[in-house]
Amino acid sequence: MNKTQLVDCIQAKLGEGATKKSAEAALSAVLGSITDAVKGGEKVQLIGFGSFEMKTRAARTGRNPQDGKEIKIAASQTLAFKPSSTFKTVIKPAKKGGCKKGGCKKKK
């Protein structure tokens, strides 16, 4: 799904009175707010969906795969998204009839 398709989906879910322009403005406002907050160092937590935050990777030593020589990898920041347990179950439902913690016995 691309942004245009997402705007169409939002417009459909908002109902008859919603225009494409208002749906696009709503999407842009949400994405802009998330971007600004994460850029400012805040963690954005959307209950039922997940959380966005900046994580810092420490400097470390790696290996060049071509010649095997050690190289220094500088410290960096990266964006992390962690889906909520609710979102995970919607995407991948739990298996039916599975073992609960500590309740399974191995067959002999």
Side-chain angles (χ1 to χ4, degrees), residues 40-62:
E42 292 181 58
K43 179 178 179 177
V44 177
Q45 188 173 8
L46 304 172
I47 305 298
F49 185 72
S51 58
F52 298 90
E53 68 179 314
M54 291 298 291
K55 296 225 175 179
T56 303
R57 290 186 182 160
R60 60 196 186 279
T61 307

Side-chain angles (χ1 to χ4, degrees), residues 49-52 80-84 88:
F49 185 72
S51 58
F52 298 90
F81 173 73
K82 183 178 178 186
S84 72
K88 286 180 187 177

Side-chain angles (χ1 to χ4, degrees), residues 15-79:
E16 280 184 33
T19 64
K20 222 174 211 182
K21 192 173 183 178
S22 66
E24 188 170 358
L27 177 62
S28 293
V30 169
L31 296 178
S33 297
I34 291 171
T35 303
D36 292 343
V38 172
K39 196 163 128 179
E42 292 181 58
K43 179 178 179 177
V44 177
Q45 188 173 8
L46 304 172
I47 305 298
F49 185 72
S51 58
F52 298 90
E53 68 179 314
M54 291 298 291
K55 296 225 175 179
T56 303
R57 290 186 182 160
R60 60 196 186 279
T61 307
R63 292 212 178 262
N64 183 337
Q66 292 178 340
D67 57 21
K69 291 183 183 177
E70 285 190 357
I71 56 173
K72 292 182 181 178
I73 302 171
S76 63
Q77 286 193 322
T78 187
L79 177 66

